[in-house]
């Protein structure tokens, strides 16, 4: 299907997917909702909107709009293609983002595994994490199966091991950060180790690139999160980092494994 | 305007006052077909000067209080799913309620839920579903409709004969007004008082206050759905069956009679199809089975496989594909619905169809009856209009249809509201005095 077809289908829709878009949920900014991104693309020249950089930059390409769409319209793929075109024509700038945070200190995990008598392999994925802005979510949502993503794999691997060993990490209560499907296919595995979450947080923190596009939207997200005082567990290392900058106790599963002493169930 | 923007920023914060073109385009229209058509064809797209997104009721009230000072035209935006131009962008300032999207309070024992006006109906339904409850309110636009918008336009859903319309679900409301501040009423069991505010706000379309909170009834989620799909000899035989069902006070949660055209599309049937469903609970299975066999007896025709019921329910949100394909063919889809007394169904239906089809711009016309009441039913027409003539003919088509409804003693609206499209017809049925009363109440409240 051509980009034109995809966009034309979107713009005659009232926005059925809007309520599912993690960026709209976290910002309440209507121009960032999928249907309005499609409209911005469609009306770009007619309304002299001054380039697509912002509108297509809001999207993390998580694919939730396509899932919610009754006709499965591939808007994320269309946005991705447009981004590539803009990058090739140098209208959109790629900026490297920092490597993922897990490059060392697996001691707790290693000890835990050793105690259980299991063999282990430490996966150093730092090289793989020199992604580029917009690229992080895009790659894992559209190209790689989630469990094949090194970062997510590492999280899942560590938790799966704890579960097999019959160990758990005791938290008084926690919030599960699940704005998109990244990393949570086997959610019960995490519940076995951490217990049942207090609630699910569906607010996306921008997938790593939103701050480059619109600092204002990041302010909106921050104000939505300012009442959280419970531990948040997220599969997104960028969200964890951002939340910690804002004073929220947020961790990826492997960070919790490293920090907390696992105990027998 | 600059001073207003500064004052708004002081109230809600800089980031929630939108003044740039790209940020304002989402407020360019509601889902009215002619507005959509003009936009898609790049013939007309306009947007307000400012959009403001209050995050609390207090902020909203402050905004309403400063507006009179600036003498600006104001509009309120919910989910944008209205189809009659109740919302248009020809305002200076639009108040977007999307940040007031909370589910604040639930009295599970009394089955009362308190919601923010910006909460999407679908999200509320999913939240309730996880807890074993339902609103039973499923309009076609459920994914886009907000709670405040549903009340303000008098929404109804496909399960109306089992759960009622929004007027049956609402048990309290909170509104903000420029002159009287915040007024809250309810939640009530029946609320036997003069001027019950919750009922006043149903289909008020922003005239009497900005809705800031809504109390709704909820129901236990059904355990069982019994279904029926039947081919009927003729559309009017089907109408008679519907009338008998309501006469016997049997209330299936869903009942819908499709005309020949829609039946051929959805069920590949050469005859009109009537579908019905009964929601119930394990504890009341026997009662439910009795009702089902009663319905099976009343609904005289050729019974089809139940799977068609599910197929229709599951495919009803795929209309975007349909609209897009017709757009490509140069056809614009519009819909209109009327409340029709049982005694006038045949005459009205024949007349409206005949008069509409005289217009060469209408390339097809189909209908179904999807809501039944003791005194009549809601007939829903879907029109395909040739885009070549739509700009000249659009209001003419509506004028003819509304004229026919008024002449036949029908309601000019069943559940889409009045908006700008039906405003002249409202004057006809209510008279100068009636419309003045509405305007005076609105002015009294500060609008």
């Amino acid at each position: 299907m051509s980009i034109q077809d995809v966009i034309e289908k979107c713009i005659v829709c009232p926005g059925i997917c809007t309520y599912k878009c993690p960026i709209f949920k976290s910002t309440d900014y209507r121009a960032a909702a999928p249907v309005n991104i499609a409209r911005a693309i469609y009306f770009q020249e007619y309304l002299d909107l001054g380039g697509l950089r912002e509108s297509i930059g809001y999207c993390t390409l998580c694919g939730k709009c396509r899932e919610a769409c009754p006709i499965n319209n591939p808007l994320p793929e269309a946005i991705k293609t447009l981004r590539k075109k803009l990058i090739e024509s140098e209208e959109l700038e790629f900026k490297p983002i920092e490597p993922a945070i897990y490059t060392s200190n697996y001691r707790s995990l290693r000890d835990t595994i050793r105690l259980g008598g299991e063999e282990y392999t430490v996966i150093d994925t730092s090289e793989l994490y020199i992604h580029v802005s917009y690229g992080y979510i895009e790659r894992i949502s559209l190209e790689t199966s989630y469990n094949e993503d090194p970062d997510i794999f590492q999280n899942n691997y560590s938790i799966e091991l704890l579960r097999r060993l019959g160990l758990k990490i005791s938290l008084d209560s926690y919030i599960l950060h699940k704005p998109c499907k990244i990393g949570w296919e086997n959610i019960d595995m995490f519940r076995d180790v951490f217990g049942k979450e207090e609630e699910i947080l569906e607010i996306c923190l921008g997938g790593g690139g939103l701050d480059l596009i619109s600092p204002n939207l990041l302010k909106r997200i921050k104000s939505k999160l300012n009442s959280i005082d419970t531990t948040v567990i997220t599969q997104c290392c960028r969200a964890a980092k951002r939340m910690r900058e804002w004073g929220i106790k947020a961790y990826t599963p492997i960070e919790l494994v490293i920090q907390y002493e696992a105990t027998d169930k | 305007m600059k001073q207003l923007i500064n004052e708004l920023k002081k109230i809600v914060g800089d980031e929630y006052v939108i003044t740039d073109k790209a940020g304002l385009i989402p407020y360019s229209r509601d889902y009215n077909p002619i507005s959509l058509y003009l936009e898609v064809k790049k013939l007309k797209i306009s947007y307000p000067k400012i959009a403001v997104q209050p995050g609390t009721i207090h902020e909203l009230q402050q905004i309403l209080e400063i507006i009179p000072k600036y003498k600006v035209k104001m509009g309120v935006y919910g989910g944008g799913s209205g189809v009659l131009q109740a919302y248009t962008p020809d305002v200076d300032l639009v108040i977007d309620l999307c940040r007031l999207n909370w589910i604040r309070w639930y009295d599970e024992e009394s089955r009362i839920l308190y919601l923010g006006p910006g909460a999407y109906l679908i999200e509320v339904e999913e939240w309730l579903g996880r807890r074993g409850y339902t609103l039973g309110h499923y309009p076609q636009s459920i994914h886009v409709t907000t709670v405040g918008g549903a009340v303000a336009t008098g929404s109804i859903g496909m399960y109306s004969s089992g759960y009622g319309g929004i007027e049956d679900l609402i048990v309290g409301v909170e509104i903000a007004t420029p002159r009287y501040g915040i007024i809250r009423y309810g939640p009530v069991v029946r609320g036997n008082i003069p001027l019950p505010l919750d009922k006043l706000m149903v289909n008020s379309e922003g005239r009497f206050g900005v809705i800031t909170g809504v109390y709704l009834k909820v129901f236990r989620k059904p355990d069982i759905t019994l279904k029926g799909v039947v081919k009927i000899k003729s559309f009017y035989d089907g109408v008679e069956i519907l009338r008998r069902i309501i006469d016997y006070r049997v209330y299936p949660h869903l009942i819908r009679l499709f005309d020949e055209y829609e039946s051929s599309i959805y069920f590949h049937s050469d005859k009109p199809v009537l579908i019905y469903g009964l929601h119930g609970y394990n504890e009341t299975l026997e009662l439910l089975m009795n009702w089902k066999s009663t319905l099976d007896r009343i609904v005289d025709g050729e019974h089809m496989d139940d799977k068609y019921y599910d197929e229709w329910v599951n495919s009803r949100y795929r209309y975007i594909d349909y609209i897009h394909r017709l757009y490509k063919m140069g056809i614009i889809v519009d819909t209109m619905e009327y409340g029709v007394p049982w005694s006038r169904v045949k005459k009205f239906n024949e007349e409206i169809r005949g008069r509409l089809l005289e217009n060469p711009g209408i390339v097809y016309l189909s209908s179904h009856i999807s809501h039944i009441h003791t005194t009549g039913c809601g007939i829903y027409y879907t029109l395909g209009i040739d885009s070549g003539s739509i700009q000249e003919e659009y209001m003419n088509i509506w004028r003819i249809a509304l004229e026919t409804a008024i002449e036949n003693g029908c309601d000019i609206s069943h559940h889409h509201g009045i908006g700008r499209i039906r405003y002249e017809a409202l004057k006809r049925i209510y008279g100068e005095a009636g419309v003045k009363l509405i305007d005076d109440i609105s002015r009294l409240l500060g609008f």
Side-chain angles (χ1 to χ4, degrees), chain B residues 7-254:
Chain B
E7 207 164 345
L8 289 171
K9 283 182 176 174
K10 268 187 209 153
I11 295 170
V12 299
D14 290 7
E15 62 270 35
Y16 297 110
V17 180
I18 302 161
T19 54
D20 65 299
K21 201 194 292 182
L24 289 169
I25 286 165
Y27 306 100
S28 67
R29 55 169 172 79
D30 63 2
Y31 199 54
N32 170 258
I34 186 81
S35 309
L36 177 64
Y37 170 76
L38 294 174
E39 182 181 295
V40 170
K41 290 288 165 194
K42 298 176 179 167
L43 295 169
K44 186 187 172 194
I45 176 165
S46 44
Y47 39 88
K49 294 185 179 75
I50 312 165
V52 61
Q53 298 178 301
T56 65
I57 295 161
H58 179 64
E59 285 177 6
L60 173 61
Q61 182 59 35
Q62 282 181 285
I63 294 166
L64 290 181
E65 282 169 13
I66 65 162
I67 288 173
K69 187 166 75 180
Y70 293 96
K71 295 187 170 39
V72 290
K73 224 172 143 188
M74 177 203 85
V76 178
Y77 195 91
S81 67
V83 288
L84 292 167
Q85 296 181 348
Y87 169 81
T88 57
D90 57 348
V91 291
D92 302 297
L93 172 68
V94 60
I95 302 178
D96 178 358
L97 302 180
C98 75
R99 290 178 68 209
L100 305 178
N101 60 351
W102 29 263
I103 298 173
R104 181 153 292 168
W105 174 87
Y106 182 37
D107 177 347
E108 190 170 1
E109 200 172 349
S110 308
R111 306 278 197 266
I112 300 170
L113 186 63
Y114 186 42
L115 301 159
Y120 282 97
L121 277 180
I122 184 77
E123 284 193 289
V124 176
E125 191 60 24
E126 286 177 0
W127 187 90
L128 283 169
R130 290 195 289 274
R131 289 159 178 79
Y133 297 96
T134 178
L135 284 175
H137 192 70
Y138 280 75
Q140 179 77 36
S141 57
I142 186 167
H143 302 88
V144 205
T145 299
T146 56
V147 169
V151 173
T153 56
S155 163
I156 201 165
M158 68 171 169
Y159 299 155
S160 66
S161 42
Y163 299 91
I166 200 79
E167 69 277 17
D168 302 300
L169 297 176
I170 190 166
V171 290
V173 73
E174 183 188 75
I175 63 169
T177 67
R179 186 166 296 160
Y180 293 86
I182 307 277
I183 310 170
R184 182 189 280 195
Y185 172 66
V188 297
V189 175
R190 186 159 177 265
N192 196 15
I193 67 153
L195 200 70
L197 199 58
D198 55 343
K199 306 301 182 215
L200 181 72
M201 295 311 291
V202 173
N203 203 18
S204 58
E205 294 182 330
R207 288 177 178 88
F208 307 135
V210 179
I211 295 168
T212 53
V214 178
Y215 293 96
L216 294 177
K217 290 180 205 175
V218 304
F219 304 90
R220 253 188 73 194
K221 206 170 157 182
D223 306 313
I224 302 159
T225 304
L226 300 180
K227 305 152 192 173
V229 182
V230 187
K231 275 189 199 179
I232 307 292
K233 262 186 267 169
S234 77
F235 186 71
Y236 294 112
D237 281 347
V239 173
E240 182 54 24
I241 289 167
L242 296 179
R243 201 187 59 75
R244 281 170 61 201
I245 288 172
I246 206 83
D247 227 20
Y248 295 144
R249 301 176 70 196
V250 181
Y251 297 107
H253 72 276
L254 181 147

Side-chain angles (χ1 to χ4, degrees), chain A residues 12 25 28 39 42 47 220, chain B residues 21 28 31 40 53 123:
Chain A
V12 297
K25 267 181 193 289
D28 295 316
R39 290 170 80 197
Y42 188 79
L47 292 175
R220 283 174 174 241
Chain B
K21 201 194 292 182
S28 67
Y31 199 54
V40 170
Q53 298 178 301
E123 284 193 289

